[in-house]
Amino acid sequence: MSLNRPRSAAWHAEAIPRLPKRQKYKGIDTSRLADRVPQDASGRIVLPGTTRAVTVSHLRAGPSQYRGMPRASELLVCAHCDVLHRAVPLGSHEVAACVGCGRVLARHRSLSVDQLLALTVTAALLFLLATSYPLMTIEVGGMHTEATVWSAALMMLHGWATGPAAVLGLTTFILPLLQVALLLWVLTFARFGRRAPGLRGVLLALHRFRPWSMTEVFLLGALVAIVKLSGWVHVTPGIGIWALASLTILLTILSMVEPRFWWALLRADE
Amino acid sequence: MTTAVRAADVGLIACRICGLVMQRVPVTSLPTACARCAALLQARLPRSGERTLAWLIAGVILYIPSNVLPVMYVSGVGGGEESTIIAGVLSFWRAGSWDIAVLIFTASVAVPATKFLTLGTLLWTVHSGTSWARRQRTALYRLVEFIGYWSMLDVVVVALTAALLKFKALGTAEPRLGIVFFCGVVVTTMMAAFSFDPRRIWDTPGDRA
């Protein structure tokens, strides 16, 4: 798969000097970042300035869906191996995998904006339930204590355990809350065909929060704690744990929506 | 596989954040930003090898005290006892709940160790520039990315137990210093995984500047 094209330093990102943060986005000629890629009639990308053409590997076999000039939105690059693909519409339950490394590049989105919004509203309500009702209650000799989502993080807050307390509070409470709130913000506007104010920042935030949101880990941890404690004392699961379990399922469904859908809400020619 | 074309080879670059595919322009002295999300465009994460290695070493250093030091103190009517992660696993095993023992052992001991070994192997093979088993190594990276946060499990269990068991003389539980190191292991290994650029696996040494 080597193309043996002559290389120059210009092709390597390392050659690009990094500017101080403040100036990073100043003076950039975005008009030169072409949105279109020249292509010949047989669906091959023509390299600018050369006569050589390269065949673009297809996501699926069969006749090309697009003729002529593909827009940037019709191209997909695998984030794990940099192999170029042409995006084709997927049928229901279809998943497009990278021809190079097998990474899932795209999934069919069966949920409409309305349905996504409905799921997000439900997730917000479940989050409210999961955090306001106890996850579990234990009883020892007539006394009882209960644990909620945030009491776990607060417990660690005493003395030296502030580090884990902060990580736990962020990953199981603050980030999932922000995730649901930001999704609600984006989808409510999308529902009415509008662009949410601050959409770029919101999408960037969602992108950054995703790997640090650990609702499912918290759920499993709570289940382990129930089993662990039930050996010594009487444990009663509360409403919170059911709400947390349902919230986990909804957040998983919402995270299955491919990033391309969210970013498409932001027009490139802004 | 022979038909696969890499974006960098045909003058295209995809934004790392939003995935927009753009054509590269001749490099000026300015860095280029993504036309859609304004993120800095980089064909490869800069110095990903060094960064990953640094996070990985930090993780290995924290891994030792996290396993040696007690993570929790439990006191009951018969006195108090501090326990390490391994001691907790063993007590579950002896009590007959082997499934919980296996779960905690996997999440707390095996997952971080797997991450060290896997990322170490990936760093080594990328450094040596071999083309051996690229597809499988990329899959290995995805495994590391996926198992990343499950190690937080024990932190959650300790925190919940401590939040629940506060019955003065009848029974209390408190977190101990080990959990701080343990939390550090989770964060550093996750950072190590995110610093690694799997596209390096597919780069042949001549490609690199």
Side-chain angles (χ1 to χ4, degrees):
Chain A
M1 62 163 272
S2 171
L3 287 155
N4 299 325
R5 53 166 290 280
R7 298 183 191 285
S8 64
W11 295 79
H12 299 280
E14 285 82 356
I16 304 173
R18 296 191 69 168
L19 289 181
K21 262 204 172 112
R22 200 169 276 276
Q23 305 168 32
K24 202 183 267 180
Y25 303 124
K26 278 188 186 165
I28 292 159
D29 185 7
T30 44
S31 65
R32 298 189 68 191
L33 296 166
D35 192 30
R36 282 163 181 278
V37 180
Q39 196 184 36
D40 68 17
S42 58
R44 299 187 301 171
I45 285 185
V46 181
L47 292 177
T50 64
T51 50
R52 216 154 51 83
V54 207
T55 310
V56 177
S57 51
H58 292 252
L59 282 177
R60 331 197 122 256
S64 167
Q65 296 276 342
Y66 304 102
R67 282 273 169 251
M69 312 268 276
R71 283 177 53 84
S73 57
E74 288 152 10
L75 293 172
L76 273 179
V77 172
C78 176
H80 282 180
C81 68
D82 213 25
V83 166
L84 186 63
H85 301 81
R86 185 209 299 270
V88 294
L90 294 172
S92 58
H93 304 296
E94 277 186 323
V95 171
C98 172
V99 294
C101 70
R103 178 176 190 255
V104 172
L105 293 176
R107 266 174 220 284
H108 174 74
R109 184 172 59 89
S110 52
L111 295 167
S112 66
V113 171
D114 273 357
Q115 287 166 325
L116 287 174
L117 181 61
L119 287 180
T120 313
V121 171
T122 316
L125 293 174
L126 285 170
F127 189 87
L128 207 68
L129 285 178
T131 49
S132 47
Y133 284 93
L135 294 169
M136 58 190 101
T137 313
I138 67 167
E139 233 185 280
V140 175
M143 293 186 287
H144 76 277
T145 54
E146 49 188 47
T148 57
V149 171
W150 41 269
S151 74
L154 282 181
M155 181 60 216
M156 308 279 274
L157 213 58
H158 79 311
W160 36 262
T162 45
V167 174
L168 210 57
L170 268 176
T171 56
T172 64
F173 188 79
I174 297 171
L175 290 185
L177 173 67
L178 276 174
Q179 241 185 334
V180 173
L182 293 180
L183 283 177
L184 210 55
W185 177 255
V186 172
L187 285 168
T188 309
F189 281 93
R191 163 71 181 76
F192 297 105
R194 298 263 308 276
R195 224 183 95 157
L199 184 61
R200 184 206 306 273
V202 170
L203 292 179
L204 274 173
L206 281 171
H207 173 86
R208 298 223 189 282
F209 294 166
R210 201 168 293 128
W212 297 97
S213 174
M214 304 186 188
T215 312
E216 53 270 55
V217 180
F218 192 82
L219 177 67
L220 192 63
L223 294 177
V224 170
I226 289 179
V227 175
K228 187 175 181 171
L229 289 166
S230 64
W232 310 330
V233 288
H234 183 72
V235 190
T236 323
I239 294 173
I241 198 110
W242 298 108
L244 190 69
S246 322
L247 176 67
T248 306
I249 295 169
L250 285 189
L251 285 180
T252 310
I253 295 173
L254 285 168
S255 70
M256 299 264 280
V257 177
E258 53 171 351
R260 283 206 320 150
F261 164 75
W262 301 110
W263 287 108
L265 298 171
L266 197 70
R267 272 169 42 241
D269 57 349
E270 180 195 12
Chain B
M1 285 291 284
T2 48
T3 57
V5 169
R6 304 188 69 203
D9 291 333
V10 292
L12 297 175
I13 185 170
C15 174
R16 191 166 59 89
I17 309 286
C18 74
L20 182 70
V21 180
M22 282 161 287
Q23 203 169 341
R24 295 206 71 161
V25 292
V27 172
T28 61
S29 61
L30 290 168
T32 35
C34 172
R36 183 160 65 183
C37 71
L40 187 67
L41 287 181
Q42 294 161 327
R44 299 289 179 268
L45 295 181
R47 292 200 215 129
S48 80
E50 288 95 321
R51 286 180 192 201
T52 312
L53 190 63
W55 283 115
L56 208 58
I57 291 171
V60 173
I61 292 171
L62 292 173
Y63 188 61
I64 299 163
S66 80
N67 276 291
V68 174
L69 295 175
V71 291
M72 192 161 56
Y73 169 81
V74 181
S75 76
V77 186
E81 189 192 9
E82 287 187 332
S83 67
T84 58
I85 290 172
I86 289 290
V89 171
L90 285 176
S91 75
F92 270 119
W93 187 269
R94 286 201 206 98
S97 35
W98 60 271
D99 36 7
I100 300 288
V102 168
L103 187 68
I104 295 184
F105 181 80
T106 309
S108 311
V109 183
V111 164
T114 310
K115 283 200 273 193
F116 298 141
L117 290 176
T118 311
L119 280 174
T121 311
L122 289 177
L123 280 176
W124 175 253
T125 50
V126 163
H127 181 75
S128 68
T130 172
S131 61
W132 164 75
R134 283 178 161 154
R135 210 181 155 99
Q136 288 79 357
R137 280 189 286 146
T138 315
L140 214 53
Y141 173 73
R142 278 198 285 279
L143 177 78
V144 170
E145 222 183 16
F146 172 75
I147 62 177
Y149 59 27
W150 286 101
S151 312
M152 273 302 274
L153 189 72
D154 216 59
V155 181
V156 174
V157 174
V158 168
L160 277 175
T161 311
L164 278 166
L165 275 183
K166 12 176 211 200
F167 295 106
K168 303 273 158 58
L170 285 171
T172 52
E174 278 171 31
R176 282 287 182 262
L177 197 59
I179 208 73
V180 179
F181 290 103
F182 192 76
C183 203
V185 172
V186 181
V187 174
T188 48
T189 50
M190 279 180 77
M191 289 306 293
F194 296 144
S195 315
F196 184 77
D197 192 337
R199 289 170 296 187
R200 297 272 191 206
I201 296 170
W202 298 80
D203 287 338
T204 36
D207 280 358
R208 291 170 57 180

